[in-house]
Amino acid sequence: MEKSLFDKYGGFSVVSKIVLDLYDRLLDDDDVGPFFDEIDMARIVDHQTKFVSSLMGGPASYTDDQIRKMHAHLEIHQRHFDKLQSLLRATLADHGVAPEDQAAILAAFEARRNLVTE
């Protein structure tokens, strides 16, 4: 049986480091940073760690309906999603995720674009 990317890269402890680094980058970004101004960061990092884990084939998962509801109150446009995707790609690369694995994770992320964008 083939290992999931989640297992291949070390599970929640590694994904947690990736997500913390990603949020450092997001918060510094003028386009997407403001989305997190009034957010409980501990809570969002926990959710995002589970979400990224699910993109990597880990045990956590969110339904399309849950994702849609969590983002419904936000005005997330295509450019915001593109920026997040670019930051995620760079973060994955900086944490040693192989290019082909980055592509698989980003494809899973892209598949959810229409759930969060206007």
Side-chain angles (χ1 to χ4, degrees):
M1 189 167 123
E2 189 175 323
K3 273 174 118 173
S4 69
L5 295 178
F6 176 79
D7 291 328
K8 177 180 177 179
Y9 287 100
F12 281 116
S13 64
V14 172
V15 175
S16 166
K17 291 175 187 170
I18 292 170
V19 170
L20 286 169
D21 187 6
L22 175 63
Y23 271 90
D24 283 343
R25 297 171 194 226
L26 291 172
L27 293 172
D28 285 343
D29 187 85
D30 292 337
D31 289 329
V32 293
F35 284 104
F36 305 100
D37 284 346
E38 303 295 323
I39 299 294
D40 175 355
M41 289 309 294
R43 186 169 176 250
I44 193 113
V45 165
D46 179 61
H47 283 295
Q48 200 69 320
T49 299
K50 291 174 185 170
F51 178 66
V52 173
S53 294
S54 73
L55 296 179
M56 296 174 75
S61 67
Y62 290 100
T63 66
D64 288 355
D65 192 47
Q66 288 172 312
I67 294 169
R68 192 177 287 113
K69 285 179 181 178
M70 284 188 268
H71 296 87
H73 67 287
L74 301 169
E75 289 186 35
I76 301 173
H77 299 286
Q78 298 298 327
R79 67 183 169 86
H80 299 125
F81 193 92
D82 292 342
K83 175 61 83 152
L84 177 55
Q85 193 169 48
S86 172
L87 291 170
L88 178 57
R89 174 181 277 110
T91 306
L92 291 169
D94 289 350
H95 283 266
V97 176
E100 62 274 13
D101 296 339
Q102 291 174 42
I105 295 164
L106 291 164
F109 182 70
E110 177 66 33
R112 289 153 178 89
R113 178 185 289 264
N114 67 335
L115 302 174
V116 300
T117 58
E118 292 190 343

